[in-house]
């Protein structure tokens, strides 16, 4: 009885009982160790919920990166299934991107690394294995990435993480009778969860606060506002800060999108409160979660109504409080339609009951088919047309784009800035312009897709390679030879090509039974491969050559 009482006061949702909003832990620096696991989290009284987590039991740490740093990721998967880890919004080589091609088998370490060239912004990371994305995101595998740079650092805006600069990840879920998530049959949750917290509240200082909001839903869209309808200010979205704050009272967000807003609490009394709320009642059809009804497949207790997201309590101001709104932020130079030399048109097709699922141009995603070959450095105009039965969330990897037009009534004021994801409404045509700089790689594609997880899993996804058309290739006839030492090795294994001009495209370490234990895209051979974590035994080092894509195989012994 005692236990039950204690549990009840922790979790009771009635009459203003709130739980303190969880603030994700942080990792900063240039080396990020991410341990992805199947785990449990206590969301409700009674049974724990089966979840997935990174270094914790639901959702993962916030990764702080600095523009100009080279970051090294150690993604160690302890999951029972294969996975991938994608760095949503990041400009990086396709082979590091963590799309459906970069499969991390159970027990394997994947070690991508890249130079951070994105400007200060809020990105996120999540699994992206074809047909498994919905399940793995639903279980809570993902996290924020916050990029800082010197320009953002000089602006008078809040940036104390967990105090006046707070990330909010929106993930509604439905629980079954044993408290597990209902996954795969219904993309809309009945229970709002923010940062892994049910019915959350947080005390913010009496000053301007910054909320970094991520819609990490499987399908639900949000129409955000505050319970007193106060004006708030958009300062950044997917790709970073805007030129100047944009005043808003409502802000729509589809799955995958991020928005940074400033909210002025400096005129609020200490102890007073307000709510960040989803004003989702009466939204147009095609807006995820506007469907009527409360049950599967597309109903939910939260559908087509307004509901609270976060109870905000006003506390004392901090010593370095921001109390004025900056009139300008950074100066972005956006691409214009006139810059584009290539135009592409994508049509949303299918999705009718009994027919093929939603897809682009009547073609479902298949790994072996490259939809587009983009020239390195090309500026392109992409037009995505949806004359179809439902709305979508369009996302593209590799780049940030500038939205140019929306046929269904023009761009919203919050759609300025660099974007990588947007709401594609019913009867809508959206055009954006982007440039495909850096990272040409003819054998490894980037993705574009609908970010509604069940849609992408069902094939509403395509891929493109970026190729350097001026490059001269001189393919080798046979795979290059390597010297591996020391052999046996304990901690660091070095592999040097006999021909020093040879470059490695990819390396894997496989056990003799074929199991992959490490994956190293574009391995940094001079640094040595850290094999300290693998079990003693005999292994193969498989190195794919950059020029010929032929594979050299060398065996070594781990002591
Ligand atoms: Cu957030 Cu292709 O994904
Ligand atoms: Cu992405
Ligand atoms: Cu879709």
């Amino acid at each position: 009885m005692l236990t039950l009482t204690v549990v009840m006061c922790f979790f009771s949702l009635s009459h203003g009982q709130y739980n303190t909003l969880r603030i994700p832990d942080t990792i900063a620096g240039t080396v990020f160790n991410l341990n992805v696991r199947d785990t449990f989290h206590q969301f409700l009284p009674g049974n724990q919920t089966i979840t997935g987590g990174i270094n914790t039991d639901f959702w993962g740490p916030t990764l702080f990166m600095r523009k100009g740093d080279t970051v090294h990721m150690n993604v160690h998967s302890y999951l029972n299934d294969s996975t991938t880890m994608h760095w949503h919004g990041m400009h990086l080589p396709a082979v590091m991107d963590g799309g459906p091609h970069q499969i991390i088998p159970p027990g394997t370490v994947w070690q991508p690394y890249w130079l951070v060239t994105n400007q200060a912004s809020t990105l996120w990371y999540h699994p992206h294995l074809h047909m498994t994305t919905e399940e793995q995101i639903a279980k809570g595998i993902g996290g924020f990435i916050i990029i800082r740079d010197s320009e953002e650092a000089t602006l008078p805006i809040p940036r104390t993480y967990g105090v006046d600069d707070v990330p909010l990840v929106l993930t509604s879920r439905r629980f079954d009778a044993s408290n597990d998530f209902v996954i795969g049959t219904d993309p809309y949750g009945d229970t709002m969860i923010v940062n892994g917290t049910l019915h959350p509240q947080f005390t913010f200082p009496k000053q301007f606060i910054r909320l970094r909001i991520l819609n990490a839903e499987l399908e639900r869209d949000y129409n955000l506002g505050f319970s007193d309808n106060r004006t708030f200010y958009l300062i950044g979205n997917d790709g970073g800060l805007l030129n100047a704050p944009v005043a808003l009272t409502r802000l729509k967000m589809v799955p995958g999108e991020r928005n940074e807003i400033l909210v002025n609490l400096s005129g609020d009394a200490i102890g007073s409160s307000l709510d960040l709320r989803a004003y989702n009642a009466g939204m147009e059809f095609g807006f995820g979660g506007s469907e009527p009804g409360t049950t599967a497949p597309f109903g939910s207790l939260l559908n087509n109504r307004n509901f609270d997201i976060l109870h905000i309590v006003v506390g004392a101001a901090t010593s370095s409080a921001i109390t004025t709104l900056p009139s300008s932020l950074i100066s972005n130079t956006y691409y214009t339609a006139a810059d584009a030399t290539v135009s592409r048109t994508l049509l949303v097709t299918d999705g009718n009951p009994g027919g093929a699922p939603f897809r682009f141009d009547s073609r479902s995603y298949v790994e072996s088919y490259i939809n587009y070959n983009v020239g390195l450095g090309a500026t392109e105009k992409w037009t995505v047309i949806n004359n179809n039965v439902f709305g979508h969330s369009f996302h593209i990897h590799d780049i940030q784009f500038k939205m140019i037009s929306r046929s269904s009534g023009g761009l919203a004021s919050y759609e300025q800035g660099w974007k990588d994801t947007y709401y594609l409404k019913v009867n809508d045509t959206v055009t954006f312009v982007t440039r495909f700089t850096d990272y040409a790689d003819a054998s490894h594609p980037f993705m574009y897709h609908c970010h509604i997880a069940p849609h992408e899993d069902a094939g509403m996804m395509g891929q493109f390679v970026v190729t350097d058309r001026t490059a001269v290739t001189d393919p080798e006839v046979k795979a290059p030879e390597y010297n591996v030492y020391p052999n046996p090795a304990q901690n660091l294994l070095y592999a040097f090509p006999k021909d020093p001009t040879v470059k490695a495209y990819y390396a894997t370490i496989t056990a003799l039974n074929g199991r992959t234990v490490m994956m190293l895209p574009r391995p940094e051979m001079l640094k040595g491969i850290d094999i300290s974590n693998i079990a003693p035994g005999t292994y193969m080092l498989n190195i794919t050559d950059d020029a010929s894509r032929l594979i050299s195989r060398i065996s070594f012994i781990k002591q």
Side-chain angles (χ1 to χ4, degrees):
M1 283 310 278
L2 183 65
T3 338
L4 185 67
T5 320
V6 171
V7 165
M8 288 307 289
C9 29
F10 262 108
F11 293 100
S12 168
L13 300 184
S14 61
H15 307 300
Q17 297 293 310
Y18 291 105
N19 301 305
T20 300
L21 178 77
R22 205 186 205 199
I23 303 293
D25 288 344
T26 64
I27 308 179
T30 56
V31 178
F32 297 87
N33 296 317
L34 302 177
N35 298 315
V36 191
R37 30 181 118 246
D38 296 303
T39 175
F40 300 92
H41 182 71
Q42 191 85 53
F43 280 106
L44 298 170
N47 290 342
Q48 298 191 76
T49 303
I50 298 171
T51 56
I54 301 172
N55 303 4
T56 179
D57 59 5
F58 183 84
W59 198 242
T62 300
L63 314 182
F64 279 89
M65 300 180 181
R66 292 200 58 86
K67 181 180 179 182
D69 279 353
T70 295
V71 293
H72 286 80
M73 318 304 293
N74 296 311
V75 183
H76 201 143
S77 175
Y78 297 92
L79 298 174
N80 294 319
D81 294 319
S82 291
T83 190
T84 80
M85 199 58 70
H86 168 55
W87 322 102
H88 180 130
M90 194 75 74
H91 180 53
L92 79 181
V95 74
M96 313 288 181
D97 188 45
H101 303 264
Q102 291 294 313
I103 298 172
I104 312 172
T108 298
V109 189
W110 180 52
Q111 298 189 309
Y113 65 95
W114 63 90
L115 173 68
V116 178
T117 58
N118 289 63
Q119 63 184 8
S121 49
T122 306
L123 312 183
W124 66 301
Y125 56 102
H126 64 79
H128 210 312
L129 184 62
H130 186 45
M131 308 208 297
T132 313
T133 299
E134 179 179 9
E135 181 195 326
Q136 294 186 341
I137 291 184
K139 286 167 84 180
I141 306 176
F144 281 99
I145 300 172
I146 293 180
I147 299 180
R148 300 222 197 261
D149 67 14
S150 52
E151 263 193 287
E152 190 262 1
T154 61
L155 290 173
I157 52 176
R159 69 169 66 73
T160 308
Y161 182 80
V163 177
D164 63 2
D165 180 355
V166 169
L168 300 176
V169 53
L170 312 186
T171 55
S172 65
R173 292 289 180 272
R174 172 169 296 170
F175 292 94
D176 68 15
S178 48
N179 289 353
D180 279 321
F181 292 144
V182 176
I183 295 174
T185 51
D186 183 353
Y188 298 127
D190 291 331
T191 304
M192 189 61 212
I193 301 177
V194 184
N195 297 0
T197 312
L198 271 61
H199 212 57
Q201 78 168 359
F202 196 74
T203 302
F204 287 90
K206 186 178 148 54
Q207 60 205 52
F208 270 95
I209 60 164
R210 179 182 190 173
L211 301 177
R212 301 177 189 252
I213 307 172
L214 161 64
N215 180 347
E217 287 280 357
L218 307 172
E219 183 151 357
R220 185 182 302 288
D221 297 337
Y222 285 91
N223 181 38
L224 299 173
F226 289 90
S227 50
D228 59 1
N229 278 320
R230 73 178 55 198
T231 299
F232 55 94
Y233 304 91
L234 182 77
I235 59 166
N237 42 26
D238 299 336
L241 296 171
L242 308 178
N243 293 345
V246 174
L248 299 171
T249 54
R250 291 289 183 271
L251 172 59
K252 283 185 187 172
M253 291 186 71
V254 297
E257 281 190 298
R258 290 84 65 210
N259 281 296
E260 295 186 27
I261 61 170
L262 296 187
V263 190
N264 185 5
L265 301 181
S266 59
D268 292 72
I270 292 179
S272 66
S273 64
L274 70 156
D275 292 283
L276 173 64
R277 187 169 288 169
Y279 286 93
N280 280 16
M283 298 305 290
E284 68 274 9
F285 189 74
F287 180 91
S290 66
E291 298 95 320
T294 55
T295 53
F298 295 109
S300 138
L301 297 178
L302 298 181
N303 272 16
N304 198 25
R305 70 176 190 84
N306 301 340
F307 55 91
D308 287 344
I309 291 181
L310 175 66
H311 188 62
I312 293 173
V313 178
V314 181
T318 63
S319 55
S320 52
I322 301 291
T323 53
T324 49
L325 182 72
S327 55
S328 65
L329 296 162
I330 65 170
S331 99
N332 294 287
T333 308
Y334 297 118
Y335 311 135
T336 67
D339 295 331
T341 55
V342 177
S343 297
R344 302 185 195 274
T345 301
L346 287 73
L347 183 67
V348 175
T349 60
D350 302 286
N352 297 306
F358 289 116
R359 47 191 186 167
F360 295 107
D361 299 307
S362 308
R363 181 184 279 280
S364 299
Y365 167 74
V366 279
E367 191 179 331
S368 56
Y369 185 79
I370 303 293
N371 301 70
Y372 299 114
N373 187 329
V374 171
L376 178 67
T379 305
E380 299 200 352
K381 189 171 84 172
W382 287 39
T383 298
V384 187
I385 304 170
N386 181 27
N387 295 324
N388 207 310
V389 293
F390 202 69
H392 301 278
S393 166
F394 187 87
H395 168 54
I396 180 168
H397 292 207
D398 179 23
I399 48 76
Q400 297 286 330
F401 52 75
K402 180 72 173 106
M403 294 172 77
I404 297 295
S405 65
R406 181 186 276 290
S407 68
S408 64
L411 297 175
S413 62
Y414 52 80
E415 290 178 319
Q416 52 188 291
W418 294 112
K419 297 282 294 164
D420 59 46
T421 308
Y422 63 84
Y423 178 28
L424 183 62
K425 300 177 189 182
V426 175
N427 293 323
D428 199 6
T429 296
V430 174
T431 298
F432 63 81
V433 178
T434 190
R435 184 170 298 155
F436 297 86
T437 50
D438 313 307
Y439 310 133
D441 182 344
S443 55
H444 214 101
F446 289 106
M447 314 307 295
Y448 59 87
H449 57 93
C450 178
H451 218 293
I452 293 176
H455 293 185
E456 64 179 291
D457 275 346
M460 192 176 183
M461 192 158 63
Q463 52 189 349
F464 62 97
V465 288
V466 177
T467 57
D468 183 354
R469 284 143 193 202
T470 63
V472 193
T473 45
D474 179 17
E476 304 261 326
V477 264
K478 62 184 187 55
E481 286 180 62
Y482 279 83
N483 290 319
V484 165
Y485 67 90
N487 191 6
Q490 210 162 14
N491 294 314
L492 286 178
L493 178 74
Y494 294 90
F496 290 131
K498 291 185 177 163
D499 170 356
T501 65
V502 156
K503 283 202 209 82
Y505 176 71
Y506 211 96
T508 60
I509 293 176
T510 47
L512 291 184
N513 63 7
R515 197 174 76 77
T516 304
V517 294
M518 288 188 76
M519 300 160 64
L520 302 115
R522 298 206 169 267
E524 298 167 289
M525 293 304 199
L526 295 177
K527 290 178 64 182
I529 301 170
D530 182 357
I531 56 164
S532 55
N533 280 319
I534 68 179
T538 304
Y539 293 89
M540 296 299 290
L541 173 64
N542 315 286
I543 304 173
T544 306
D545 181 48
D546 194 44
S548 65
R549 301 291 147 109
L550 296 172
I551 298 176
S552 313
R553 295 177 208 279
I554 315 104
S555 76
F556 70 94
I557 293 167
K558 151 77 187 192
Q559 261 177 346

